[in-house]
Amino acid sequence: MHPLLRPSGTAGATSVTFVTPKTFAAVKARLRPAQQTFLEATGFEPKSGRTAILPDAKGAVGAVLFGIEPEDARHRDPLLVGKLPGQLPAGLYHFANDPGDLTRAAFAWIAGQYRFSRYKKGSAKEVLLVVPSGVDGEAVTQAAEATTIARDLINTPANDLGPAELETAIRDLAKRHRAKVTAIVGDDLLKQNFPMIHAVGAASPRAPRLVDLVWGNEKHPKVTLVGKGVCFDTGGLDLKPSSSMLLMKKDMGGAAAAIGLAHMIMAARLPVRLRLLVPAVENAVAGNAFRPGDVFPTRKGLTVEIGNTDAEGRLILCDALTLADEEAPVILADFATLTGAARVALGPDLPPVYTHDDALAAELAAAGMAVGDPVWRLPLWQPYASGLDSKVADMNNVTTGGFAGSITAALYLARFVEKAGSWLHADVFGWVPSEKPGRPQGGEMQAARALFEVLKSRFG
């Protein structure tokens, strides 16, 4: 169980009562007279996110009130409870009532206390929670651990997280769950027909690679995850401006999400045959860097003209997706910090997802809202595919029009998936620009917890 959780029934915990403007009067009436007076003196109002710490007879923390949105609110922050631990002193607490979803609240409680402390140590207080009755503490722990794994990977700067270190992280996860890992590194990528992964990573002294993890019974349904592992993206010869490079340590956020999801699947021991594929590269600048106008073959046999070296994520993904598709998994899902256009369209909090499978899209959207990991489906609008046409190759890696960049990137990837039962592409941001409840500023795992709920429902 997570170190911030304690088993149900643990004694000595301070109660946390969730209140709304409608329920506040009734809750207040049940308090001790001195606590009622304290509330009146401090002017507490039961607004969303407000906290009142009430003293007991000895002046210690006796009870906590926390304001949440009423049930009929137009929008309810699903992870609002994640704000609460930061407002409380260290200690042990329990929920006296239900804020709407106890499992989600318990996850938010843990996720909101995450801090990246690899380089800057701090005195972290422990605000512990008794697992609410009826909540699966192990499931909450698995989701919280996965989130921490992904956040730590994304937050680690590129000088300490290159392709080799990303491979090590996957091997460490495999050792924990007794999975098998292989890696194809450097020029061996050419020998084994992964020309795009090699081309994108060739200019870096840190060798590109394709890391391949497998786990589970071969007879179980095949579920394959692919994560974009660009450990740093200069943009290549189409060099990014310095302001755009500041967050490029997070360009492996898709790989981090896929790794986190793989942990959840293995920890829950879902009856699936899991495969995790992470093409890991650094898109650098050197004399042997791939150039605009170059033409490369792909594993699938399609040739691609390089219209822009800064659209490298789809290049490494297309080789990995081709490999994944060759064994026709029941579900093939890729995660990638792929386009700025996705952020323009939907902002940092809401990753677009693409699939031809209407049922999968509906399940994913519902699951995302339920667990506080929202996604939004955008169309694979086929008429836009003509923008990827090339006069010298089978296709270009970018369009010339400048519109619908996330959609056309998804259409590019779709060319490399034919045999999978269902394919899902998530264009994630992998970053929280400013702190939100349950989501500290920094790296974030997106779309993975939502997909886990779908997989658990289908195969669990």
Side-chain angles (χ1 to χ4, degrees), residues 3-226:
L4 293 178
L5 293 178
R6 293 295 181 268
S8 296
T10 302
T14 301
S15 67
V16 174
T17 302
F18 301 101
V19 296
T20 70
K22 291 182 179 180
T23 64
F24 178 54
V27 171
K28 182 180 176 183
R30 295 195 297 269
L31 297 174
R32 297 174 180 174
Q35 292 176 329
Q36 295 179 20
T37 302
F38 181 87
L39 281 176
E40 293 166 1
T42 57
F44 173 76
E45 296 181 7
K47 294 182 179 180
S48 174
R50 297 277 183 89
T51 303
I53 301 175
L54 305 177
D56 62 13
K58 297 181 180 180
V61 178
V64 175
L65 304 184
F66 184 68
I68 59 173
E69 303 98 334
E71 292 184 5
D72 59 354
R74 179 171 294 182
H75 171 71
R76 304 184 78 194
D77 187 329
L79 300 182
L80 179 64
V81 175
K83 183 178 182 180
L84 180 54
Q87 300 177 353
L88 298 177
L92 178 64
Y93 299 85
H94 75 92
F95 296 155
N97 59 343
D98 189 343
D101 187 313
L102 287 170
T103 297
R104 191 172 63 200
F107 169 80
W109 182 280
I110 300 172
Q113 295 186 65
Y114 169 86
R115 295 294 181 269
F116 182 62
S117 58
R118 177 168 177 171
Y119 304 99
K120 186 176 182 179
K121 306 300 181 184
S123 54
K125 61 179 180 178
E126 285 195 333
V127 186
L128 310 176
L129 178 68
V130 176
V131 177
S133 179
V135 170
D136 185 342
E138 287 305 318
V140 173
T141 296
Q142 291 158 13
E145 286 180 342
T147 301
T148 294
I149 289 169
R151 287 173 174 176
D152 281 350
L153 288 171
I154 297 170
N155 287 329
T156 301
N159 62 307
D160 281 331
L161 187 76
E165 291 79 11
L166 191 54
E167 177 188 340
T168 297
I170 296 170
R171 289 189 180 278
D172 289 344
L173 185 69
K175 184 177 181 180
R176 178 174 178 180
H177 295 290
R178 298 183 180 180
K180 296 180 180 179
V181 176
T182 57
I184 305 169
V185 182
D187 290 343
D188 285 345
L189 289 163
L190 292 176
K191 296 175 183 177
Q192 298 192 44
N193 194 23
F194 297 98
M196 280 301 195
I197 300 174
H198 183 273
V200 173
S204 173
R206 309 162 94 176
R209 64 203 63 213
L210 178 63
V211 188
D212 188 347
L213 176 151
V214 292
W215 172 90
N217 191 322
E218 294 181 2
K219 297 179 181 179
H220 288 161
K222 290 184 175 66
V223 172
T224 301
L225 312 176
V226 178

Side-chain angles (χ1 to χ4, degrees), residues 103 139 143 261 264-265 270 363-364 366-368 370-373 447-460:
T103 297
L261 177 53
M264 293 180 72
I265 291 170
L270 291 187
E363 289 178 56
L364 189 71
V371 300
D373 186 21
R449 289 190 298 113
L451 183 54
F452 175 77
E453 293 301 314
V454 175
L455 297 175
K456 184 172 69 172
S457 174
R458 289 193 177 191
F459 306 116

Side-chain angles (χ1 to χ4, degrees), residues 396-429:
N396 203 303
N397 73 325
V398 294
T399 63
T400 56
F403 295 115
S406 181
I407 294 175
T408 53
L411 289 168
Y412 174 93
L413 297 178
R415 292 284 299 272
F416 298 88
V417 180
E418 294 180 347
K419 300 175 183 178
S422 296
W423 166 62
L424 173 75
H425 163 57
D427 190 343
V428 301
F429 190 45

